[in-house]
Amino acid sequence: MRRKLRPPLPPRHGLDPARLKMPAEGPWTTLREHLVERLPRVEPERIAEMLREERIVGPDGPLGLDSPFVPDSFIWFHRDLPEEVEVPFEVSVVHRDEHFLIADKPHFLATIPRGRHILQTALVRLRRELDLPALSPAHRLDRVTAGLILFVSTPDLRGKYQTMFRDRLVHKEYEAIARYDPDVAMPREISSRIVKERGVIAAQEVDGAPNAETRVELIEHRGGLGRYRLVPATGRTHQLRLHMSGLGLPILGDDFYPELTETPLDDFTEPLQLLAKVLEFTDPVTGENRRFESRRTLEAWTDPGAWHRGPERVGVANRVVEG
């Protein structure tokens, strides 16, 4: 088995450097010419600046403005970071051992770096705060969903923990707050076919063989609201939100279903009232039964005023982190 190349650059902000492999052939004389063509979203002058400052390296060290294009070679560099809105909530850890940890993620914080969310993600924060550069997630939660995520700290074991989720060997329970309707019988099993098209933000339920199953239970109700337990048997994109909306009981704070509403990234009021409450599984390494519960609560139920107001906005602003 081919050994994975170790990057010659250390992590920065908890992030590994990007790696590019050069094509086997091409018309370029210099590395700079190739990168200008290959990275059209990066200004040519920025590429030149990175080369002048020796921010792009090969296996033998930094590369310069006149470095030749070398077919089939590798280069590494740290990408410039996008503008990000700071998420004013902490990630807590409910369990940590030599192999994995269970994080309790707040609303509005993405699980992993992607798009406009890089430093403000659970993975990057935990890598930096706990000094665990090899930490990786075994599964994901939507940015707007709070609750439990399993991160693996021993790289060689990541596949074992990921496989549990792929093979549906993990029991997951969620809590949600939505309108209470006495005419909607509970508990109930929901099954439907959910599709998510690339480039389309929202998923949808369509005709066809079911690929998504959820059990919905009413825990309690008061004041026109219900507190629900959601137990998914599958893990389709936005499954719980779609199934609750299909019952006529959209989850409070849902700006996707039943109607897509654009919400600014710095609006931390009325978070989606969906919480990944329980993870339970047989540890694939030790054979132990493991059960973890989130310590978070859903504010629309416990403190409706705080849910509407959101956090104090002092010190929350856009900021740029340059490479």
Side-chain angles (χ1 to χ4, degrees), residues 56-306:
I56 300 176
V57 304
D60 299 321
L63 300 166
L65 276 172
D66 298 323
S67 293
F69 168 78
V70 179
D72 289 323
S73 64
F74 289 91
I75 64 168
W76 290 262
F77 60 93
H78 284 290
R79 300 181 187 275
D80 288 337
L81 299 176
E83 239 180 53
E84 291 190 67
V85 174
E86 186 172 351
V87 179
F89 308 102
E90 298 297 321
V91 185
S92 58
V93 175
V94 299
H95 171 84
R96 179 180 176 182
D97 61 30
E98 60 181 321
H99 299 315
F100 71 89
L101 66 83
I102 302 291
D104 208 351
K105 184 184 82 68
H107 298 286
F108 301 112
L109 190 68
T111 300
I112 62 171
R114 185 178 182 183
R116 291 179 290 178
H117 310 287
I118 305 297
L119 298 184
Q120 295 299 310
T121 59
L123 176 61
V124 172
R125 283 194 184 181
L126 290 168
R127 281 181 172 180
R128 296 172 67 183
E129 293 169 7
L130 302 178
D131 192 23
L132 292 173
L135 194 70
S136 59
H139 63 119
R140 303 179 191 177
L141 281 184
D142 289 343
R143 185 181 69 90
V144 291
T145 302
L148 301 180
I149 310 175
L150 189 155
F151 289 89
V152 184
S153 50
T154 304
D156 291 346
L157 298 178
R158 183 185 183 191
K160 290 182 179 292
Y161 289 100
Q162 285 182 319
T163 299
M164 295 191 311
F165 290 90
R166 184 198 68 191
D167 294 345
R168 303 179 189 174
L169 300 177
V170 180
H171 175 75
K172 296 184 279 187
E173 295 181 14
Y174 291 72
E175 284 192 9
I177 308 301
R179 183 175 66 88
Y180 169 67
D181 185 344
D183 293 330
V184 179
M186 294 288 171
R188 64 193 301 148
E189 306 286 340
I190 304 172
S191 63
S192 69
R193 183 167 189 81
I194 294 176
V195 298
K196 172 72 165 62
E197 297 181 10
R198 182 182 294 273
V200 178
I201 294 177
Q204 59 181 325
E205 292 181 283
V206 299
D207 292 336
N211 62 1
E213 300 177 21
T214 306
R215 178 176 174 83
V216 181
E217 304 171 2
L218 177 66
I219 301 172
E220 57 182 326
H221 68 89
R222 66 167 187 252
L225 292 180
R227 186 163 74 96
Y228 298 89
R229 178 183 296 109
L230 312 180
V231 183
T234 55
R236 311 302 298 187
T237 298
H238 298 172
Q239 172 179 322
L240 303 180
R241 298 161 70 177
L242 272 166
H243 281 170
M244 288 296 287
S245 181
L247 291 176
L249 306 173
I251 299 172
L252 265 61
D254 195 340
D255 54 9
F256 277 26
Y257 309 101
E259 183 177 348
L260 183 62
T261 304
E262 187 171 347
T263 303
L265 289 177
D266 63 351
D267 183 351
F268 300 115
T269 60
E270 300 186 356
L272 178 72
Q273 293 299 276
L274 181 62
L275 174 67
K277 185 70 174 178
V278 173
L279 285 178
E280 185 173 8
F281 55 90
T282 299
D283 193 313
V285 177
T286 67
E288 297 175 71
N289 183 64
R290 305 277 201 165
R291 179 182 173 88
F292 304 100
E293 291 197 25
S294 171
R295 298 166 185 160
R296 299 183 183 275
T297 58
L298 294 171
E299 284 186 331
W301 187 262
T302 60
D303 190 351

Side-chain angles (χ1 to χ4, degrees), residues 8-75:
L9 287 174
R12 187 194 66 180
H13 305 306
L15 293 169
D16 293 326
R19 186 187 76 172
L20 292 183
K21 182 180 180 181
M22 300 299 103
E25 58 183 24
W28 314 282
T29 301
T30 66
L31 172 65
R32 178 184 178 184
E33 291 173 355
H34 172 66
L35 292 180
V36 167
E37 182 175 322
R38 184 166 180 176
L39 305 174
R41 295 184 180 181
V42 181
E43 293 292 334
E45 179 52 37
R46 180 55 179 155
I47 291 174
E49 182 181 23
M50 292 174 71
L51 286 166
R52 281 195 299 269
E53 296 177 353
E54 299 186 340
R55 292 176 176 238
I56 300 176
V57 304
D60 299 321
L63 300 166
L65 276 172
D66 298 323
S67 293
F69 168 78
V70 179
D72 289 323
S73 64
F74 289 91
I75 64 168

